[in-house]
């Protein structure tokens, strides 16, 4: 573990270790607390024995997925860690939802314990396992509001074990790739053009995405300066669509559709030049393969506009005076953050309901 003399959970540069889980598990201090995705354990039978060899204090198994990102799961982890000392370690092996729960738990247990992230999905590897953010969802008037209760608690280490990616479905690979391409489109024009010529191998995609995200988090570790908001490109409407689908729409696919909405808003405001919007949208269709606009239409067709307004208002990305704070592209690898008045995005509503580009 890291010997950096910082309070638990404080910002620290990312420490990534690549390799087989069985070998990396030897680094885990005895008596640690483990949170494991039950489905991952079934697909990888060597996982639990490798953990048990370290004499864990407890192994908590929860089936991952958005439904697991709640206070019941958090309580289960906290109960498992009741006897964990403040110098102890919580390791989480799973996707982004369990990573979120573990991050909150690590922050609360003994006022902060060490955290080791072991992402088992491509989405978690390129995004959520890095950057220190963790949150759980709330249900408000029957709708699930994503991430309103959360913390910053940076992991001491991340273990990237490619063996876990072998059991992923094509859909899971796609949603991870969407998040990675999102960061490249916003932050690195040269790399974006390289990707459009030839899509990267999976390992390179993970390394590029983690490097770009770390470069942002290092400058704005707790979202104080506003720079880190760039990572929310596509998330404002993406979270709405995810909630309206009752989470049948995956997070990565929701972000892909949210990026279509953000490009439309940028077009309308004159912030995103039409050639840029078109190039990004086509690259996302041909690269990771984002879903079509008909999916947006199917989700909002029978949704009262008031429900969407309420979800956007409840989202932590809301701007001042009810305006919607959005990341909008000004070029390939360049962005601006704007507070968008409600009438502006409402003008796009009829086009979105009909599944067409404004």
């Amino acid at each position: 573990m890291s010997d950096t003399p910082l309070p638990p959970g404080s910002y620290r540069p990312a420490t990534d270790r690549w390799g087989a889980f069985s070998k990396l598990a030897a680094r885990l201090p005895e008596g640690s607390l483990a949170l494991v995705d039950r489905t991952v354990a079934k697909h990888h039978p060597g996982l639990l024995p490798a953990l048990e060899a370290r004499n864990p204090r407890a192994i908590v198994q929860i089936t991952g997925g958005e439904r697991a990102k709640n206070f019941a799961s958090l309580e289960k982890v906290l109960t498992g860690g009741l006897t964990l000392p403040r110098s102890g370690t919580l390791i989480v092996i799973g996707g982004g939802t369990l990573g979120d729960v573990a991050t909150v738990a690590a922050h609360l247990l003994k006022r902060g314990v060490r955290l080791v992230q072991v992402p088992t999905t491509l989405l978690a590897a390129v995004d959520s396992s890095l950057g220190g953010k963790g949150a759980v969802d709330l249900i408000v008037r029957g709708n699930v509001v994503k991430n309103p209760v959360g913390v910053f608690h940076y992991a001491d280490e991340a273990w990237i074990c490619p063996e876990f990616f072998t059991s992923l479905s094509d859909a899971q690979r796609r949603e991870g790739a969407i998040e990675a391409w999102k960061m490249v489109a916003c932050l690195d024009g040269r790399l974006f053009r390289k990707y459009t010529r030839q899509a990267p191998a999976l390992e390179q995609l993970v390394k590029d995405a983690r490097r770009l995200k770390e470069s942002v988090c290092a400058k704005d570790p707790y979202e104080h300066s506003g720079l880190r908001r760039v990572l929310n490109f596509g998330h404002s409407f993406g979270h709405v669509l995810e909630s309206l689908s009752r989470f049948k729409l995956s997070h990565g696919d929701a972000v892909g559709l949210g990026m279509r909405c953000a490009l439309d808003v940028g077009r309308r405001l004159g912030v995103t030049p039409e050639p840029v919007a078109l190039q990004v949208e086509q690259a996302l269709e041909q690269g990771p393969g984002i879903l079509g606009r008909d999916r947006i239409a199917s989700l909002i067709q029978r949704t009262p506009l008031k429900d969407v307004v309420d979800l956007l208002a409840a989202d932590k990305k809301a701007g001042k005076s009810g305006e919607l704070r959005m990341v909008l592209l000004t070029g390939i690898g360049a962005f601006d953050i704007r507070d968008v008045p409600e009438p502006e995005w409402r003008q796009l509503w009829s086009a979105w309901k009909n599944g067409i580009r404004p």
Side-chain angles (χ1 to χ4, degrees):
M1 299 299 102
S2 172
D3 294 324
T4 305
L6 293 171
S10 298
Y11 169 75
R12 60 199 70 216
T15 299
D16 292 350
R17 303 188 186 279
W18 288 70
F21 181 78
S22 58
K23 293 184 178 180
L24 289 172
R27 298 181 52 81
L28 192 65
E30 290 195 359
S32 298
L33 170 65
L35 173 58
V36 180
D37 187 315
R38 187 178 286 111
T39 303
V40 175
K42 289 179 181 178
H43 284 303
H44 301 275
L47 193 164
L48 292 180
L51 283 175
E52 290 164 352
R54 303 305 299 159
N55 189 28
R57 196 166 299 263
I59 298 177
V60 177
Q61 293 193 56
I62 297 175
T63 301
E66 196 67 31
R67 294 182 184 275
K69 215 168 82 173
N70 54 42
F71 283 99
S73 297
L74 177 60
E75 184 177 13
K76 191 173 182 179
V77 180
L78 294 175
T79 301
L82 280 177
T83 61
L84 194 69
R86 191 172 185 186
S87 59
T89 297
L90 168 58
I91 182 171
V92 54
I93 302 106
T97 54
L98 290 197
D100 263 357
V101 173
T103 299
V104 177
H107 192 73
L108 297 177
L109 276 169
K110 313 301 178 179
R111 299 186 177 88
V113 297
R114 293 187 181 93
L115 176 65
V116 175
Q117 290 265 9
V118 187
T120 60
T121 65
L122 185 58
L123 180 59
V126 303
D127 186 25
S128 60
S129 64
L130 177 71
K133 291 172 70 172
V136 292
D137 299 340
L138 284 178
I139 297 177
V140 179
R141 292 190 292 277
N143 289 313
V144 179
V145 180
K146 282 181 62 70
N147 305 330
V149 181
V151 301
F152 282 99
H153 191 95
Y154 280 82
D156 275 47
E157 295 183 1
W159 299 353
I160 313 298
C161 308
E163 70 210 66
F164 291 132
F165 305 146
T166 60
S167 58
L168 298 179
S169 66
D170 289 343
Q172 288 173 312
R173 289 172 179 267
R174 180 181 70 242
E175 68 169 333
I178 287 170
E179 280 281 2
W181 278 68
K182 173 207 73 177
M183 283 182 264
V184 175
C186 292
L187 296 168
D188 194 328
R190 181 196 61 79
L191 188 59
F192 182 86
R193 288 184 284 273
K194 181 179 178 181
Y195 275 23
T196 58
R197 292 193 296 271
Q198 182 175 357
L202 185 145
E203 183 173 323
Q204 191 59 53
L205 185 77
V206 173
K207 289 181 177 179
D208 287 341
R210 291 182 69 85
R211 173 182 58 80
L212 288 172
K213 184 167 183 179
E214 168 61 17
S215 70
V216 172
C217 293
K219 297 173 184 175
D220 187 17
Y222 304 111
E223 293 188 339
H224 287 161
S225 73
L227 174 62
R228 188 163 165 161
R229 292 192 185 111
V230 64
L231 301 174
N232 293 330
F233 180 54
H235 282 62
S236 296
F237 284 100
H239 280 175
V240 169
L241 297 172
E242 195 175 1
S243 294
L244 293 177
S245 76
R246 304 292 180 183
F247 299 98
K248 293 178 182 178
L249 180 69
S250 72
H251 176 71
D253 283 334
V255 169
L257 295 176
M259 285 192 279
R260 287 192 188 270
C261 293
L263 291 171
D264 289 346
V265 173
R267 285 179 172 111
R268 173 166 180 80
L269 296 180
V271 175
T272 307
E274 176 60 32
V276 170
L278 191 60
Q279 184 180 358
V280 171
E281 204 160 6
Q282 289 177 343
L284 292 172
E285 290 168 351
Q286 296 166 9
I290 61 174
L291 300 181
R293 289 174 175 274
D294 58 326
R295 192 72 173 97
I296 300 175
S298 69
L299 289 169
I300 68 173
Q301 194 65 237
R302 298 180 180 178
T303 301
L305 188 58
K306 182 182 181 302
D307 287 357
V308 175
V309 173
D310 288 346
L311 284 169
L312 288 170
D315 193 87
K316 61 185 182 299
K317 299 167 192 66
K320 60 186 179 181
S321 303
E323 294 178 330
L324 181 61
R325 186 158 293 165
M326 294 188 68
V327 180
L328 304 176
L329 294 188
T330 58
I332 305 296
F335 65 94
D336 193 11
I337 297 169
R338 295 287 183 96
D339 285 338
V340 181
E342 183 181 321
E344 294 291 350
W345 65 259
R346 285 183 67 157
Q347 292 294 324
L348 303 167
W349 192 251
S350 60
W352 291 342
K353 287 187 74 169
N354 290 308
I356 60 175
R357 181 164 63 87

